Amino acid sequence: MGILNRLQGWMQWLTSDPAGFILYLLYFAVSVLLTLTLHEIAHGYVAWKCGDPTAKMLGRLSLDPRRHLDPLGTLCLIFLGFGWAKPVPVNPRNFQNYRRDDFLVSIAGITVNLTLFLLSLALAVGFNSLLWKPEVINFYGAKELLSSDGIGYAVLLDGAGADNVDAMRYPWVQYIQRFLLMFSTMNLCVGIFNLLPIPPLDGFHILNDVVLRGRLTLNRNMFQITQVVLIALCLTGALTGILSSVTGAVEDAVLNLMLAIAGRG
C-alpha cells in the first residue's frame, strides 16, 4: 500500500469512525515506540555485556523512546510498514572477541523482535476463545478470526468491533487482542526488515560475521552511500511488496502452527 493510499484510507476511517480511528492510532503508536525502543535496548545491553559500555554511557539503555527513534525510519514504519531506529553506538575495540561479539550485538535486536512476535501472537491465539462465542469460532474457524485476511482481524483493526458484540463472549477482550495482533505484526516487520544485508541494518553485520568472516569493511563514504540507497528503496516502495509477502507468509505459517498446537487448526 502506497503512502497516498494509506492516508486516504485513514481519512475515510477517521470520517466514518473517529473513536475507532483514534484508538487504532493509540495502539499503533504504543506498538511502534515499544518495538523500536526494545530493539535498540537489546543491542546496547548485549554490547555492554560483551565489554563495550558506550551505549550505556550515552543513555541508550533507557526506555525513553526519544533516545532511540530515528525520524525518517519512524515515518517509514508508519507509512510503509517497515522502518528502523537510531543505531546504537558501538565501539568494537572494547569487544573481547570481535566477530563473535559483533554477531551477538547484531542479532540481539532481531531476536527480541521475533520473540515478542511469537509471544504476542500466542497470547492473541489464547484470547480468541475468550473473545468469540464457541458457535462463532466453529462457524468461521479460529484462523479466519485471527489471520490478516480473515474477518476477525478486520473487525479488530478496522473499528467494527462494536457491530459484532453479539458474537463475542467478553467484548472487552477485543481491545487486548487488537493490541496483541498489531504488536506482533509490528515486531515481525521490524525483525525481518533488519535481516536485510544492507548497511546499517543488522543483516549486514550478520552476513559479514557469519558468512564472510569479517572480511568486508566499508569506509565512511561507502557506508553513507548504502544508507542513501536503503532510504531510497524504502521511500520508493521498492522493498515494500517483497517484505510484505515475506512477513505475510511467516505470520501465516506461525499462526497455523500455533493453532495446530492449540488444537484449533
Side-chain angles (χ1 to χ4, degrees):
M1 179 185 293
I3 296 177
L4 293 180
N5 289 337
R6 178 166 293 197
L7 288 174
Q8 185 179 17
W10 284 353
M11 288 301 298
Q12 292 175 348
W13 187 359
L14 177 61
T15 303
S16 62
D17 181 19
F21 180 71
I22 292 173
L23 192 58
Y24 164 82
L25 286 184
L26 175 63
Y27 291 145
F28 191 86
V30 173
S31 295
V32 169
L33 295 178
L34 280 177
T35 299
L36 295 180
T37 298
L38 294 176
H39 178 99
E40 294 306 321
I41 288 177
H43 285 311
Y45 179 79
V46 173
W48 177 42
K49 289 300 181 179
C50 288
D52 178 28
T54 306
K56 180 177 174 60
M57 291 189 300
L58 294 176
R60 292 300 300 275
L61 301 188
S62 170
L63 286 171
D64 184 352
R66 294 174 298 178
R67 295 183 177 272
H68 306 287
L69 297 185
D70 177 271
L72 183 57
T74 304
L75 288 175
C76 286
L77 185 59
I78 293 171
F79 291 109
L80 300 177
F82 300 93
W84 60 91
K86 189 188 305 179
V88 164
V90 173
N91 185 355
R93 288 179 293 183
N94 292 324
F95 289 157
Q96 299 173 3
N97 182 314
Y98 172 77
R99 196 154 55 84
R100 180 201 66 190
D101 294 344
D102 185 66
F103 169 77
L104 292 176
V105 172
S106 300
I107 202 69
I110 296 172
T111 301
V112 166
N113 288 138
L114 296 183
T115 300
L116 290 173
F117 157 68
L118 293 173
L119 289 176
S120 51
L121 187 59
L123 287 172
V125 170
F127 276 117
N128 213 39
S129 59
L130 282 176
L131 175 57
W132 303 104
K133 292 180 179 179
E135 57 269 26
V136 176
I137 297 178
N138 292 334
F139 182 79
Y140 288 108
K143 184 179 179 182
E144 182 71 12
L145 295 168
L146 281 165
S147 61
S148 58
D149 57 353
I151 63 163
Y153 199 89
V155 164
L156 294 173
L157 294 186
D158 291 346
D163 299 330
N164 295 269
V165 171
D166 292 340
M168 299 177 182
R169 294 180 62 194
Y170 303 104
W172 59 268
V173 175
Q174 68 177 299
Y175 302 108
I176 300 175
Q177 194 182 60
R178 181 185 305 187
F179 172 75
L180 290 170
L181 288 170
M182 185 178 296
F183 190 58
S184 68
T185 300
M186 187 75 65
N187 274 279
L188 179 61
C189 288
V190 171
I192 289 180
F193 178 76
N194 275 278
L195 278 171
L196 292 174
I198 305 173
L201 300 180
D202 304 325
F204 167 74
H205 295 277
I206 296 171
L207 173 68
N208 195 30
D209 293 329
V210 176
V211 179
L212 302 179
R213 299 190 175 277
R215 291 192 292 266
L216 183 60
T217 57
L218 298 178
N219 58 39
R220 184 176 181 85
N221 289 336
M222 285 299 299
F223 197 81
Q224 291 176 339
I225 290 173
T226 56
Q227 285 182 299
V228 172
V229 171
L230 175 63
I231 293 172
L233 290 173
C234 291
L235 294 180
T236 58
L239 289 174
T240 305
I242 297 174
L243 291 175
S244 295
S245 297
V246 172
T247 53
V250 171
E251 192 171 35
D252 188 64
V254 173
L255 179 57
N256 283 335
L257 177 61
M258 288 184 175
L259 290 173
I261 293 174
R264 298 168 186 160

